[in-house]
Amino acid sequence: DQYVPPLESKTGYGNSWNISMGAEYKISDNWSWMWGLDYDHSPISDQHFSVDNPTSDFYGSSTGTWIKLSEHLELTSALLFQVQRNRDITNSVTKPPTNVRTRAINMKCAIGINYRIGKL
Protein backbone atom coordinates (compact mmCIF):
# COMPACT_ATOMS: atom_id res chain seq x y z
CA ASP A 1 0.00 0.00 0.00
CA GLN A 2 1.20 3.47 -0.87
CA TYR A 3 0.66 6.23 1.70
CA VAL A 4 -1.12 9.31 0.38
CA PRO A 5 -0.79 12.33 2.69
CA PRO A 6 -4.00 14.23 3.53
CA LEU A 7 -4.83 17.45 1.71
CA GLU A 8 -3.96 20.63 3.55
CA SER A 9 -6.36 23.40 2.62
CA LYS A 10 -5.61 26.97 3.69
CA THR A 11 -8.78 28.72 2.67
CA GLY A 12 -7.68 32.33 2.19
CA TYR A 13 -11.16 33.09 0.86
CA GLY A 14 -12.27 36.62 0.03
CA ASN A 15 -15.73 38.07 -0.53
CA SER A 16 -18.32 36.47 -2.77
CA TRP A 17 -21.04 38.44 -4.54
CA ASN A 18 -23.61 38.10 -7.28
CA ILE A 19 -25.15 40.59 -9.70
CA SER A 20 -28.31 39.57 -11.50
CA MET A 21 -31.20 41.08 -13.39
CA GLY A 22 -34.33 39.73 -14.96
CA ALA A 23 -37.44 40.58 -16.88
CA GLU A 24 -40.89 39.08 -17.18
CA TYR A 25 -43.14 39.44 -20.20
CA LYS A 26 -46.79 38.71 -19.53
CA ILE A 27 -48.12 37.07 -22.70
CA SER A 28 -51.62 36.71 -21.23
CA ASP A 29 -53.30 36.46 -17.83
CA ASN A 30 -52.37 32.76 -17.79
CA TRP A 31 -48.93 32.78 -19.42
CA SER A 32 -45.63 34.55 -18.66
CA TRP A 33 -42.13 34.33 -20.10
CA MET A 34 -39.07 35.24 -18.02
CA TRP A 35 -35.42 35.93 -18.87
CA GLY A 36 -32.39 36.82 -16.76
CA LEU A 37 -28.63 37.44 -16.65
CA ASP A 38 -26.24 36.97 -13.76
CA TYR A 39 -22.59 37.12 -12.72
CA ASP A 40 -21.36 35.18 -9.70
CA HIS A 41 -17.97 36.15 -8.21
CA SER A 42 -16.11 33.34 -6.46
CA PRO A 43 -14.40 34.01 -3.11
CA ILE A 44 -11.56 31.59 -3.98
CA SER A 45 -8.33 33.06 -5.38
CA ASP A 46 -6.04 31.17 -7.75
CA GLN A 47 -3.56 30.60 -4.91
CA HIS A 48 -6.20 28.86 -2.74
CA PHE A 49 -8.11 26.99 -5.45
CA SER A 50 -8.33 23.30 -4.47
CA VAL A 51 -9.95 20.03 -5.46
CA ASP A 52 -12.16 20.12 -2.35
CA ASN A 53 -13.71 23.46 -3.43
CA PRO A 54 -13.15 23.98 -7.18
CA THR A 55 -15.34 27.03 -7.76
CA SER A 56 -14.79 29.94 -10.15
CA ASP A 57 -16.58 33.03 -11.39
CA PHE A 58 -19.60 32.28 -13.59
CA TYR A 59 -21.54 34.27 -16.18
CA GLY A 60 -25.06 33.04 -16.76
CA SER A 61 -28.32 33.44 -18.61
CA SER A 62 -31.68 31.84 -17.90
CA THR A 63 -35.12 31.67 -19.37
CA GLY A 64 -38.39 30.15 -18.29
CA THR A 65 -42.14 30.14 -18.67
CA TRP A 66 -45.16 29.85 -16.40
CA ILE A 67 -48.54 28.66 -17.70
CA LYS A 68 -51.74 28.48 -15.68
CA LEU A 69 -53.67 25.50 -17.05
CA SER A 70 -56.66 25.69 -14.69
CA GLU A 71 -57.72 27.25 -11.39
CA HIS A 72 -55.57 24.72 -9.52
CA LEU A 73 -52.91 23.55 -12.00
CA GLU A 74 -49.77 25.40 -13.19
CA LEU A 75 -46.88 24.28 -15.35
CA THR A 76 -43.42 25.89 -15.13
CA SER A 77 -40.18 25.29 -16.98
CA ALA A 78 -36.72 26.83 -16.83
CA LEU A 79 -33.37 26.60 -18.59
CA LEU A 80 -30.14 27.93 -17.05
CA PHE A 81 -26.84 28.24 -18.93
CA GLN A 82 -23.60 29.26 -17.17
CA VAL A 83 -20.01 29.68 -18.39
CA GLN A 84 -17.11 29.50 -15.93
CA ARG A 85 -14.28 32.02 -16.16
CA ASN A 86 -11.30 30.05 -17.49
CA ARG A 87 -8.47 29.63 -15.00
CA ASP A 88 -4.80 28.80 -15.58
CA ILE A 89 -3.46 28.36 -12.06
CA THR A 90 0.32 28.22 -11.61
CA ASN A 91 0.74 29.77 -8.13
CA SER A 92 -1.12 27.35 -5.84
CA VAL A 93 -0.18 27.38 -2.14
CA THR A 94 -2.21 24.25 -1.29
CA LYS A 95 -0.44 21.00 -0.37
CA PRO A 96 -0.23 19.22 -2.73
CA PRO A 97 -0.36 22.16 -5.18
CA THR A 98 -3.48 22.49 -7.30
CA ASN A 99 -1.93 23.97 -10.43
CA VAL A 100 -4.60 23.36 -13.06
CA ARG A 101 -6.33 24.76 -16.12
CA THR A 102 -10.10 24.80 -15.80
CA ARG A 103 -13.04 25.43 -18.09
CA ALA A 104 -16.65 24.61 -17.48
CA ILE A 105 -20.12 25.08 -18.88
CA ASN A 106 -23.27 24.28 -16.87
CA MET A 107 -26.72 23.75 -18.30
CA LYS A 108 -29.66 22.96 -16.05
CA CYS A 109 -33.25 22.23 -17.02
CA ALA A 110 -36.26 22.18 -14.72
CA ILE A 111 -39.94 21.39 -15.09
CA GLY A 112 -42.48 21.98 -12.36
CA ILE A 113 -46.09 20.98 -11.94
CA ASN A 114 -47.93 22.88 -9.21
CA TYR A 115 -51.32 21.82 -7.93
CA ARG A 116 -53.12 24.07 -5.47
CA ILE A 117 -55.67 22.77 -3.04
CA GLY A 118 -58.28 25.30 -2.03
CA LYS A 119 -58.48 28.99 -2.98
CA LEU A 120 -56.00 31.79 -2.47
Side-chain angles (χ1 to χ4, degrees):
D1 291 334
Q2 186 177 7
Y3 173 74
V4 177
L7 288 173
E8 289 182 26
S9 182
K10 299 176 184 175
T11 60
Y13 297 163
N15 290 327
S16 177
W17 46 271
N18 177 280
I19 296 173
S20 56
M21 65 179 224
E24 179 180 8
Y25 178 70
K26 195 167 190 171
I27 298 167
S28 72
D29 287 343
N30 297 326
W31 186 16
S32 289
W33 173 74
M34 295 149 285
W35 173 80
L37 291 173
D38 75 294
Y39 172 75
D40 190 45
H41 178 74
S42 171
I44 301 173
S45 68
D46 284 357
Q47 289 179 312
H48 296 95
F49 184 90
S50 67
V51 294
D52 60 336
N53 198 353
T55 188
S56 288
D57 301 343
F58 279 92
Y59 304 89
S61 181
S62 58
T63 188
T65 189
W66 164 86
I67 301 170
K68 183 176 181 181
L69 300 173
S70 71
E71 181 181 351
H72 297 280
L73 188 62
E74 297 173 351
L75 178 65
T76 58
S77 66
L79 177 64
L80 169 69
F81 182 77
Q82 291 179 312
V83 177
Q84 176 192 41
R85 176 181 60 91
N86 295 344
R87 294 180 102 160
D88 186 3
I89 300 171
T90 59
N91 59 349
S92 175
V93 297
T94 62
K95 292 182 184 176
T98 311
N99 292 322
V100 296
R101 287 189 185 127
T102 66
R103 274 185 225 168
I105 295 173
N106 297 329
M107 186 161 59
K108 301 173 188 174
C109 302
I111 295 176
I113 299 172
N114 305 320
Y115 186 81
R116 292 188 182 143
I117 299 173
K119 295 188 178 197
L120 294 175

